[in-house]
Amino acid sequence: MLPLSVLDPLVSRYAQWLALPGEATADTSDEDPDNVVLMPMVLRIERREPPARTALLEAAAAAALAVCLDERCAPATEEDPAGEWHEAMHGWISGRIRKVTRRARGAHWEAVQALPGITVEVGGAEVRALLPMRVADMPKELSRLQISGSELEPDEPGPVPDGVPVLWLNPDVPMSAGKSAAQVGHATMILAAQLHGEGLDEDLRRWASDGYPSAVRQASPDTWADLHPGDDPETAWRKSRVAMVRDAGFTEVDPGTVTVLAQWPS
């Protein structure tokens, strides 16, 4: 059974977050970098046979949500104790949601498979999303991996399959594959939270049973303009089932940048 209550903090905070001024970002001036809690995402990028960029991003989008809604994240009930991942996941979703992507290949990729998380494969591309952790607690299998160097050539993924959400990347904001992977991971989490908040849990369960598939696409300027919620994200969700990811601006993009528009299929 999906532990949908894990999403409750994100349901309540999404609307509050979007109500802030566009350039707003959290004040982290008093933050101890070692105590930052984030979800590491490891992208498998082999030197000789790198994955297709779109497939890698689609794998990242699915993996991030799969970890959040894994049965091991379930809260305690009268019948059962909390899942072994519940405390870590609940604490992360209740705070500042951050992700960091790292790249791995060969033996280093195999090593991270032993860390708590879920690996998703799409079209030969693989991503492992790990249980959130403090920066200071990162094991050596993870901390030794490079954050930079995750760029991949653009590809032509073809038509969007029927019945899957589309994660539209901002056409005016270039992002590395690593940054994009984190952003589409945010997007699937927000979509799931919005579905749960609307009481559309059956839709969410069907999505889960299929493995959280999505189509990541680079939006054209016209598509972006047509879908962008502007100053009324609540109406955009109700009428068009469009949610948006607005970045805090810690890396690559300016604070308040809308990086992804996530469109649930009608």
Side-chain angles (χ1 to χ4, degrees), residues 66-110:
V67 173
C68 296
L69 294 182
D70 187 274
E71 62 184 7
R72 288 166 286 188
C73 295
T77 65
E78 292 183 359
E79 296 80 19
D80 299 301
E84 60 187 293
W85 290 0
H86 173 72
E87 183 177 357
M89 185 59 68
H90 177 72
W92 178 64
I93 287 184
S94 299
R96 294 168 179 165
I97 296 177
R98 300 184 190 175
K99 299 181 178 74
V100 62
T101 58
R102 296 174 182 263
R103 59 182 174 85
R105 59 176 178 261
H108 287 178
W109 168 254
E110 296 302 326

Side-chain angles (χ1 to χ4, degrees), residues 176-259:
S176 67
K179 179 70 173 181
S180 298
Q183 299 304 296
V184 296
H186 293 336
T188 50
M189 287 179 61
I190 290 171
L191 275 181
Q194 289 292 88
L195 292 171
H196 178 52
E198 289 275 308
L200 300 174
D201 289 349
E202 284 307 310
D203 286 1
L204 185 47
R205 290 188 180 97
R206 283 193 291 271
W207 192 24
S209 68
D210 292 336
Y212 306 110
S214 66
V216 176
R217 296 293 185 270
Q218 188 75 43
S220 69
D222 288 345
T223 296
W224 189 262
D226 288 342
L227 293 176
H228 199 293
D231 295 328
D232 195 1
E234 292 186 14
T235 298
W237 173 254
R238 288 197 308 270
K239 290 187 174 181
S240 304
R241 290 290 184 253
V242 172
M244 66 180 183
V245 178
R246 200 173 72 186
D247 195 68
F250 294 120
T251 61
E252 292 195 27
V253 302
D254 294 332
T257 299
V258 177
T259 55

Side-chain angles (χ1 to χ4, degrees), residues 98-174:
R98 300 184 190 175
K99 299 181 178 74
V100 62
T101 58
R102 296 174 182 263
R103 59 182 174 85
R105 59 176 178 261
H108 287 178
W109 168 254
E110 296 302 326
V112 299
Q113 302 308 301
L115 302 178
I118 292 177
T119 298
V120 171
E121 182 270 332
V122 173
E126 294 180 276
V127 174
R128 186 168 184 81
L130 301 176
L131 193 64
M133 63 185 73
R134 290 194 317 145
V135 170
D137 295 334
M138 281 192 179
K140 67 178 185 304
E141 293 91 344
L142 186 60
S143 61
R144 68 188 177 188
L145 302 179
Q146 295 293 316
I147 295 176
S148 61
S150 64
E151 194 46 69
L152 296 167
E153 292 297 323
D155 58 350
E156 296 293 337
V160 173
D162 292 335
V164 302
V166 185
L167 311 180
W168 298 102
L169 301 176
N170 190 328
D172 299 319
V173 180

